[in-house]
Structure formats: C-alpha cells, structure tokens
Amino acid sequence: MEEKILIIDFGGQYNQLIARRVREKNVYSEVHPYTISIEKIKEFNPKGIIFTGGPASIYTEDAPKCDIEIFKLGIPILGICYGMQFMADSLGGVVKRASFREYGEMEVDLNTKSRLFQGLNSKNICLMSHTDYVSELPNNFEVITSTKSCQIAGFENKEKNFYGVQFHPEVNHTVDGDKIIENFVKNICNTKGLWQMKEFAKQKIEELKEKIGDKKVLCALSGGVDSSVAASMLAKAVGSNLTCIFVDHGLLRKGEVEEVLKNFANRSDVNFIKVDAKDRFLEKLKGVTDPEKKRKIIGEEFIRVFESEAKKLGVVDYLVQGTIYPDVIESGLGKSSVIKSHHNVGGLPAHVDFKEIIEPLRDLFKDEVRKVGIELGLSFDLVNRQPFPGPGLAIRIIGDITEEKLNILKEADYILREEIQNNNLDKDINQYFAVLTNIKSVGVMGDERTYDYLLALRAVETDDFMTAKFSKIPYDILETISKRIVNEVGHINRIVYDITSKPPATIEWE
Ligand code: XMP
C-alpha cells in the first residue's frame, strides 16, 4: 500500500471519523495511539499525519504528547483541536485556558490563500469544541483563520507543511470540513487517491490468515450485514476451519430464520450450524424490564451458547463477531459514555471461554461494511439489508417479554415491512420497524370497548446510523399500515408514528 495517512490518537471522540473521512478520499489511513514510536512511524511511511483532538490540556503535567522528533520527519501534519495545541506547544507557541468554552457551530473567516482552505468560501461555519486556545504562534507560523472569540483558530507553516485548526473538520457541522480534509490529504500530502475498499478486505484477510493459522474459528452469524461480511472474510481466510453459528434466540422477526437459512445453510464454503435457543433466552429474560439488563443477559447468553457449541467441535481458539465502530462507541468503550450496551461489546460477560474475540470490522462504519460486502461478492439484497440488532425484538418490546407480545410484534412488524417494500420506500428508508410499547389504551371496535396495546412505528434515514432523521412517510401509506395492523393483528388498538430524530432519540427505543 503506497499512500497512507497516519492518524495519531490523543483520545478525542471523533478519531475513527477522521480515518473514515480520509478513506472517503481513497487514501488508506490507520489510527494509532500517541505513544507510537518514531521508528514505527518511519516504518509506516505515511504521506501525511493528522493529530486528533482530545480532552486533555497541553499545559498539564500528564498531558498526552508524542515524540516531538515527529516534526523533523519532513511529513505534512494537520493538528485538529488538541492536536493543534500540541503542535503549537511543541514548536514554541503558547496555549492558554479561555475564560469560557466555545462550543457549537461558529462563523469563521478562512484565509482562502492557504492551501488548506483552497476553493472554500472565506465566510464559513465550523464546529468548535474547546476551552484551551493557542494564544501565541510558534515561530514561522501564520494565522489562517479566526472566529470572533478565537484569534488563532487555525495556523500554518507553509514551508514545513504544518497546519492546525481549532475546529473539527471531520464532522458534518463544519460545512466545508470534507473539502478541508481533501485539501490536506490530496493537495498538501500529494496523494493520488487510488486506494479502495477491496484493499481493506484483501489486507484483513491476509492478516487473519496469518493470525489464525490452522486453528479453529467460530463465527457468530446473525444473518445481518455485519456478521455476514465478517463470516465471508473468515471463510476466505481459513476455509473449512470456520464454523458459523446461527443462534435462533426466539427474538427474530417473522421470516428471518428462513432467510438466514436460505443465504447460508447451503453454502459450500461455510460450515453452518443453527442452534434453537429460544427457551433458554426467554427463560433468562422472564420478568426483566430494564433495557440494559436485557442487553447484558442476551450478550452473556449468546456467549454461553457459543461456548457450548465450541466444546462440541474440539478446541476452538477464536470467536469472530461482526462488531462495527458505532457498536463500540455507543457501548461507551474508551472515553465516551454508555448510550447502550451493544450485545456484542458492552453486553459481553467478564469471562469468555475463547482465547480471543476477533472483530475484523471494528473500525468501519455501516456503509463501509456494505462496500466490503460487495467486494467480497455477497448478494446485493444481503448487503443492503436493513440492520437488525443482536438483541432483536427484546429491545423492541418495552417492558417484560412474553411469547404473546413477541407474536403480536412479529405480525405487526411484518405488515409494516411489507407495506414499505410494496410502496418502494425501502430504497430511501434505511431502517424501519415496529415497537410494542407497554402502554394499553381504550379503543372501540365493532361497538365494543377494547383495552389493548399501543404500537409505535419507527422509520429513519441515515448513512452511518450514528445520527438519523425520521422518515417522512406519506400519510396515506401510514394510514394503510395502521389499518392493516389493527385489522390483521390482534391486541393492538392504537398506532403512533415516531417523529424524533437521532439525536435526541436513538433509533431503537431501548
Ligand atoms: P441506536 O438505537 O443506538 O442504534 O440509535 C443504532 C444502530 O445500531 C443497532 N443496534 C444494535 N446492533 N447490537 C447490534 O448488533 C445491539 O445491541 C444494537 N443496539 C442497536 C440499531 O438497530 C441501529 O441500526
């Protein structure tokens, strides 16, 4: 791989997002901790380096710093937020604490003569999130952007190709952020942008081959996009040493088991085992109402099923999961706070009976995983399936889970999916499902009073499932869905449509 950008991680929230933005420019990038040695950096041989943001203050004793020899390598560097402050501090500038925190979308004046801002509007909007700021420039640096309250919101040393911005170009709130990253990666670092997702797949498969050798591997296959892509990678890496386990925990949608069997049961390159585990999952979930408890129980139960299946196969060292990056951040690993414990990350038990859990897609976003799937030759329908969470309908039934509620939800959800597909809305809506709430309300049917469940419909449009907008489904289609569900499924007498986006809501209700 010729052209690479090295991202040095100082603990910010958006680090993988920076890597993703670089990959979007068709240049390979990797995120490494700030402790990376100069030898390692030389070996990596990057065309450019990006310092990420981070929560620390550079003037504190334990502030994270990387080896300042990095500034002598002759490689272009872009410092973002804390990364800019680290650059300033290392090269003789001064960083101070501001009297107030500048947070949110701010107007900035960009000097469009700088190569970093070439082709942009000089009046622009950027996302700021900082308390510290660069108060004095290092020698040979010039200011290239400022806001009303931050004089040095960006700087450059043209000769050395060092750049710094106090704002975050990697997030969508920075209107021309993408173009700034492109200017750095393409023009300043002088890359051609020839890298493609298939290289990621190729490289990962090689790494997996080397790591696993002739050991046995179990892959947790849910039939969704992520685990199907992970399984296909592993099948290419270790062939028949791979066994895929599909656990039917009884919390799947109507028709799901059949679909997974159709896609995987007869593949010649995959050893496939289906485990019927409905009773043990429902038993463990009996009476449980707390969403995080449900997630943890399901996460643990999955592992226990995998462990007992592994025992039947002899020695199995590795368990493969299709964990992707949003699962990791939302589960609160690293420094971010727990939004929800994804069953395959935060929901894992403390002790796991495998030598290691392998997650080849852990750094990728959903849409990137789909691209890898296409490169691996998976069918269009499979790759473009809407996501279905590992804990399944357990987190779409608010309150305790019973077989009766499961059956009601399965039927209602099936009708919703059928109508969305029949009306060709599935091309635009990225995820759609029904939620059985724990509320009962009064209705009237055939002159009789009813007292039945309230069902919520959810449909969102999103690229990466980290943020999402509710979908504006036409009223007449909503009306058909509502009528059909009330008429065809028993015990639902009222239907509402969820019109919140993410944030402030999440996509799933639990
Ligand atoms: P939220 O509800 O957090 O969901 O906005 C974001 C995306 O992640 C899916 N999701 C999960 N997927 N295990 C998974 O495999 C989980 O525990 C889990 N929880 C949420 C959700 O369906 C949406 O696509």
Side-chain angles (χ1 to χ4, degrees):
M1 221 170 289
E2 294 278 288
E3 301 179 336
K4 290 183 282 191
I5 298 285
L6 172 65
I7 297 174
I8 296 200
D9 181 359
F10 286 105
Q13 281 179 61
Y14 304 121
N15 300 345
Q16 286 296 343
L17 198 54
I18 303 173
R20 179 222 162 97
R21 295 282 176 246
V22 175
R23 292 195 290 267
E24 282 172 358
K25 311 289 165 278
N26 296 105
V27 176
Y28 182 69
S29 71
E30 271 180 28
V31 181
H32 285 263
Y34 66 90
T35 47
I36 184 172
S37 68
I38 285 293
E39 292 68 42
K40 259 266 163 87
I41 297 176
K42 285 185 186 158
E43 202 182 299
F44 188 75
N45 192 21
K47 296 277 278 179
I49 297 172
I50 300 181
F51 295 154
T52 75
S57 284
I58 190 69
Y59 44 75
T60 55
E61 215 168 275
D62 52 357
K65 292 179 181 172
C66 68
D67 191 333
I68 55 170
E69 288 294 308
I70 199 167
F71 296 106
K72 296 187 183 150
L73 298 176
I75 300 171
I77 304 179
L78 169 65
I80 296 174
C81 199
Y82 176 85
M84 172 188 181
Q85 294 157 11
F86 165 67
M87 186 188 291
D89 181 77
S90 309
L91 300 175
V94 178
V95 176
K96 280 195 180 149
R97 191 173 185 82
S99 44
F100 63 94
R101 186 162 181 237
E102 196 179 19
Y103 182 82
E105 283 140 274
M106 300 285 160
E107 284 180 13
V108 280
D109 277 316
L110 305 177
N111 177 351
T112 53
K113 290 206 183 86
S114 165
R115 293 176 77 196
L116 194 62
F117 301 141
Q118 215 173 340
L120 273 62
N121 285 330
S122 56
K123 293 270 175 234
N124 227 304
I125 301 289
C126 298
L127 182 91
M128 286 282 196
S129 173
H130 69 117
T131 325
D132 296 337
Y133 69 105
V134 177
S135 60
E136 278 174 47
L137 290 170
N139 278 343
N140 305 319
F141 273 73
E142 278 175 42
V143 177
I144 52 171
T145 176
S146 29
T147 68
K148 227 192 283 167
S149 50
C150 182
Q151 277 306 305
I152 309 175
F155 61 32
E156 70 177 11
N157 177 328
K158 240 189 298 189
E159 216 174 294
K160 294 207 146 57
N161 272 327
F162 292 162
Y163 295 81
V165 283
Q166 186 54 66
F167 56 81
H168 289 273
E170 68 277 22
V171 300
N172 285 334
H173 307 264
T174 296
V175 174
D176 280 333
D178 208 40
K179 185 78 185 124
I180 294 172
I181 290 182
E182 178 165 342
N183 281 343
F184 179 71
V185 171
K186 289 272 179 71
N187 304 343
I188 296 168
C189 300
N190 213 1
T191 58
K192 294 190 196 70
L194 300 174
W195 179 83
Q196 296 200 333
M197 250 324 163
K198 68 168 168 261
E199 307 231 12
F200 170 88
K202 215 164 83 189
Q203 192 196 350
K204 266 285 170 222
I205 291 167
E206 281 311 310
E207 279 172 20
L208 289 168
K209 235 184 226 171
E210 199 163 301
K211 180 183 181 93
I212 298 167
D214 56 4
K215 300 258 173 15
K216 283 193 181 148
V217 183
L218 212 66
C219 179
L221 182 78
S222 70
V225 188
D226 307 339
S227 60
S228 300
V229 170
S232 296
M233 261 184 171
L234 264 296
K236 287 201 188 325
V238 302
S240 60
N241 279 335
L242 169 72
T243 302
C244 291
I245 307 249
F246 167 54
V247 180
D248 177 2
H249 51 14
L251 305 162
L252 297 168
R253 291 171 296 185
K254 181 172 167 177
E256 190 123 42
V257 174
E258 295 72 16
E259 202 177 329
V260 176
L261 293 181
K262 187 184 86 196
N263 282 328
F264 284 94
N266 299 318
R267 265 178 68 163
S268 57
D269 60 336
V270 173
N271 300 315
F272 178 88
I273 297 176
K274 171 177 172 272
V275 184
D276 288 310
K278 178 175 153 194
D279 293 344
R280 63 189 277 184
F281 275 83
L282 291 192
E283 185 55 36
K284 283 264 153 65
L285 288 166
K286 209 180 208 166
V288 178
T289 55
D290 178 70
E292 277 296 290
K293 258 199 204 137
K294 286 183 188 173
R295 286 170 170 277
K296 297 241 154 117
I297 289 171
I298 293 167
E300 160 136 26
E301 212 47 28
F302 263 124
I303 292 286
R304 301 301 167 229
V305 173
F306 297 141
E307 284 169 349
S308 61
E309 288 305 313
K311 280 208 186 91
K312 295 182 197 159
L313 297 172
V315 181
V316 177
D317 285 305
Y318 299 105
L319 175 70
V320 172
Q321 297 197 134
T323 312
I324 65 171
Y325 186 59
D327 303 345
V328 178
I329 0 184
E330 301 211 335
S331 293
L333 293 201
K335 293 205 157 46
S336 35
S337 56
V338 182
I339 310 295
K340 37 185 92 167
S341 300
H342 283 227
H343 72 290
N344 47 353
V345 190
L348 285 181
H351 176 75
V352 173
D353 216 4
F354 292 93
K355 192 167 133 199
E356 198 180 327
I357 294 184
I358 296 181
E359 297 169 320
L361 308 173
R362 198 178 164 95
D363 291 341
L364 299 189
F365 292 79
K366 192 86 186 185
D367 50 328
E368 294 183 307
V369 174
R370 294 193 207 276
K371 283 187 196 149
V372 177
I374 297 282
E375 295 298 344
L376 292 173
L378 295 184
S379 77
F380 180 86
D381 285 350
L382 176 54
V383 167
N384 287 293
R385 265 187 82 174
Q386 61 165 320
F388 183 66
L393 302 181
I395 56 168
R396 294 179 181 171
I397 293 174
I398 312 302
D400 70 318
I401 298 153
T402 63
E403 273 211 83
E404 188 209 12
K405 288 182 187 174
L406 268 170
N407 290 334
I408 295 172
L409 181 58
K410 280 183 190 177
E411 292 304 324
D413 182 73
Y414 189 77
I415 293 172
L416 167 71
R417 286 190 282 143
E418 211 169 46
E419 286 300 325
I420 297 276
Q421 282 151 18
N422 290 348
N423 286 286
N424 282 324
L425 293 178
D426 52 332
K427 311 284 173 292
D428 303 317
I429 305 178
N430 304 97
Q431 196 170 9
Y432 45 96
F433 53 89
V435 176
L436 189 65
T437 75
N438 215 11
I439 294 174
K440 282 190 166 185
S441 73
V442 176
V444 54
M445 257 175 126
D447 297 331
E448 295 278 348
R449 175 187 196 267
T450 59
Y451 188 59
D452 268 326
Y453 286 112
L454 169 70
L455 184 87
L457 306 177
R458 181 81 167 133
V460 296
E461 290 166 29
T462 173
D463 284 336
D464 56 15
F465 298 85
M466 300 281 290
T467 59
K469 289 205 151 129
F470 79 86
S471 179
K472 295 186 179 142
I473 298 179
Y475 276 146
D476 54 342
I477 298 176
L478 283 173
E479 187 180 18
T480 311
I481 296 169
S482 165
K483 273 191 188 149
R484 275 198 61 196
I485 291 177
V486 173
N487 286 330
E488 294 174 35
V489 183
H491 301 293
I492 293 171
N493 66 355
R494 191 180 296 270
I495 296 185
V496 293
Y497 185 52
D498 181 349
I499 52 166
T500 37
S501 291
K502 173 185 179 179
T506 53
I507 297 174
E508 305 286 347
W509 277 37
E510 285 196 336

